[in-house]
Amino acid sequence: MSRRRFLRDMTGAGAGLLIGARRASALRREYGQKTIIVTFGGGARDQETFAPEGQRYIPRILMELIPRATFYTQVVNRGILGHYVANASLATGCYESFNNFQSIRPENPTIFEYFRQDRRRQASDVWVIAPSNGFTSIGESGHPAYGRGKGATVVLPKALLAGVSGGSERPFESLLRDSHEGPVGAGVYASTARQDEAIRDLLQISMSDFKAHAQSVSSPDELSLYIALHLMRSKAPSLIWITLHDIDIAHAGAFSLYTDAIQRTDRICAELVRAMDQEPEYKGQTNFFILPDFGRDADDDPSGNGFQHHRSGDALCRTTWLLAMGPGIRENTTVDRPVESIDLVPTVAKMLACDARFAQGRPLVEVL
């Protein structure tokens, strides 16, 4: 189907499209927009998600979220297929090229820096919740016009958990483990007490409550959800970026753990949307995005390992999807044209009325 016909079918007529676009712009002016972005590491393949045999793993995304969203079916990542560097590319709108296993600031400015500088916002209004292997540096870039002190507040739930456990990994060893890919970067997070104490004070988290919650969960992503909900209720920041990482358990080669993680990610995304719908500071004025950083190897690729890895660089590794929902964004709409993962930043920047001047992606016109 041509793009022209697609738009006509979605609106009923060309005039309807124009009215719809104006209505969306009016809604965004009326509401002080907030944005929540959820990425997750090593996205599940079609076999485990949108193919008929995999749909049972994502009932909430399929039945609750997609009907409210514009859904992109072909989101291509042309960059390095490592989780930290890929997420840094998502956050800058440029394909970053540093060593994935080092904690390096992105070369290009992040959406967090664009928003803070152009809208004159404090660090407490922009938060990143992420796994700890390298992600400590994702909040701000090495760009000379931005950089130190001008990005997001980054909270690493596993770092806080390490502090709760008194520096010992034993009570929460499975939660503190950082990587499933192999011995490189696979250590337990080493907490920096002064930094973690400052984050805890800023969040005003009760350590006893946090510890009780941590003891009851089965994954680091549950801790990320706990922090995100706490932030929404206590500080209501304008921009929250959450990177979920449980799906990366696929590297361990256990298919059941992999599908468990997919189902958990599905539930966490739905819980965030429910909070977005219920919290007064977010209800009716929040744009919500979900996208994997990249995919996984195909079963029939001789250079790959099926669901276990994402090293072949084939089309299935590089092609995932994106879900966008919020006031003024069309509901129950599918977009099949290919877009790129780096298109996220210029799109969000327009929604937040800031200029992603160095981003290389293009705004997603269907949601603007």
Side-chain angles (χ1 to χ4, degrees), residues 58-67:
I58 54 167
R60 296 166 183 86
I61 289 177
L62 280 176
M63 303 305 294
E64 298 177 25
L65 305 192
I66 287 180

Side-chain angles (χ1 to χ4, degrees), residues 158-232:
K158 284 185 282 187
L160 297 180
L161 187 57
V164 170
S165 61
S168 170
E169 67 178 89
R170 290 183 180 179
F172 311 109
E173 183 173 3
S174 63
L175 299 185
L176 296 178
R177 189 64 57 184
D178 235 12
S179 173
H180 304 286
E181 292 198 67
V184 179
V188 171
Y189 183 83
S191 176
T192 54
R194 182 176 298 178
Q195 180 180 6
D196 297 340
E197 183 178 357
I199 292 292
R200 285 196 294 270
D201 289 344
L202 188 59
L203 284 170
Q204 297 180 333
I205 289 176
S206 162
M207 285 295 97
S208 59
D209 290 347
F210 188 86
K211 184 176 180 180
H213 181 87
Q215 288 175 328
S216 70
V217 303
S218 59
S219 82
D221 287 352
E222 297 282 4
L223 300 176
S224 294
L225 173 64
Y226 173 82
I227 293 292
L229 296 178
H230 176 82
L231 274 174
M232 293 173 72

Side-chain angles (χ1 to χ4, degrees), residues 1-18 330-336 366:
M1 180 185 294
S2 69
R3 178 173 179 269
R4 189 174 190 178
R5 181 181 172 190
F6 168 78
L7 291 173
R8 185 176 69 245
D9 290 348
M10 288 299 103
T11 59
L17 173 62
L18 181 59
R330 293 182 185 87
E331 298 186 348
N332 202 27
T333 298
T334 300
V335 180
D336 290 323
E366 293 85 358

